[in-house]
Amino acid sequence: MPDVLHHELLEIEVAFRGFGFQESDDSAVPVPFGDEYEWGVFLREHVRRFDLFSAGHTHKAAADVRVWASEPPAAEGEWDERGEVGFESTTGDVAVWTMTLGRSNHLIRLGKPGWWRVRVHCAGRDEVARVTRLEGVAYGVERYLIDFWPKV
């Protein structure tokens, strides 16, 4: 089993069903978050950025982010969606972006620049769609597992 180098739990403010992860050095990102966002696409890869499409309009999603030394085992459990993309970081730091708040002050520390693989799993999609449609803002109903590891 590969080593987990970094692990953290995030609460992400989702608005307009979208949020993204982007290279921390904004000048290295040719198309910044929000531009060329694709409605309805669960996981979309861009240059030094990837976007996620949530099932709920406005809510706080729970994200379990792990940085691994090498490719991790497949996540167990039942997931509504899953996908994998490539990601290049020029600094080794990744910023979280949302539609209304823009760039978060929090950085995910990969530990080094370079090429990475990212695997994303999501659960709670039907329930967050129901809650945000009928009750308003949901808290931690939609859950993400996001794994980063160096591309070899």
Side-chain angles (χ1 to χ4, degrees):
M1 165 97 60
D3 292 331
V4 176
L5 304 175
H6 183 74
H7 181 217
E8 61 186 288
L9 301 174
L10 303 176
E11 182 179 77
I12 298 174
E13 296 201 26
V14 177
F16 302 103
R17 295 187 180 216
F19 64 101
F21 292 78
Q22 179 174 296
E23 161 57 41
S24 178
D25 178 3
D26 300 336
S27 69
V29 182
V31 180
F33 177 74
D35 293 349
E36 296 183 13
Y37 177 78
E38 283 190 59
W39 186 266
V41 177
F42 170 66
L43 176 62
R44 172 77 160 90
E45 181 178 346
H46 297 273
V47 176
R48 298 183 193 100
R49 161 186 147 207
F50 61 93
D51 301 341
L52 289 156
F53 180 79
S54 171
H57 187 278
T58 303
H59 65 101
K60 293 189 178 188
D64 187 354
V65 179
R66 305 180 296 186
V67 179
W68 296 82
S70 60
E71 183 174 358
E76 296 182 11
E78 293 189 32
W79 300 97
D80 302 332
E81 291 278 357
R82 66 188 68 194
E84 194 171 303
V85 294
F87 179 77
E88 181 188 20
S89 175
T90 59
T91 63
D93 294 330
V94 183
V96 180
W97 282 74
T98 66
M99 292 291 192
T100 55
L101 299 176
R103 180 192 171 112
S104 164
N105 290 330
H106 183 80
L107 292 178
I108 298 164
R109 309 270 184 200
L110 299 176
K112 63 181 179 179
W115 284 96
W116 297 78
R117 290 298 297 167
V118 183
R119 185 180 301 138
V120 180
H121 294 79
C122 183
R125 292 177 72 79
D126 289 342
E127 182 63 8
V128 80
R130 186 192 71 73
V131 170
T132 59
R133 185 178 65 253
L134 300 176
E135 300 173 25
V137 178
Y139 298 89
V141 173
E142 190 174 57
R143 300 174 326 277
Y144 291 83
L145 175 62
I146 304 169
D147 289 320
F148 288 84
W149 70 92
K151 183 178 177 182
V152 290

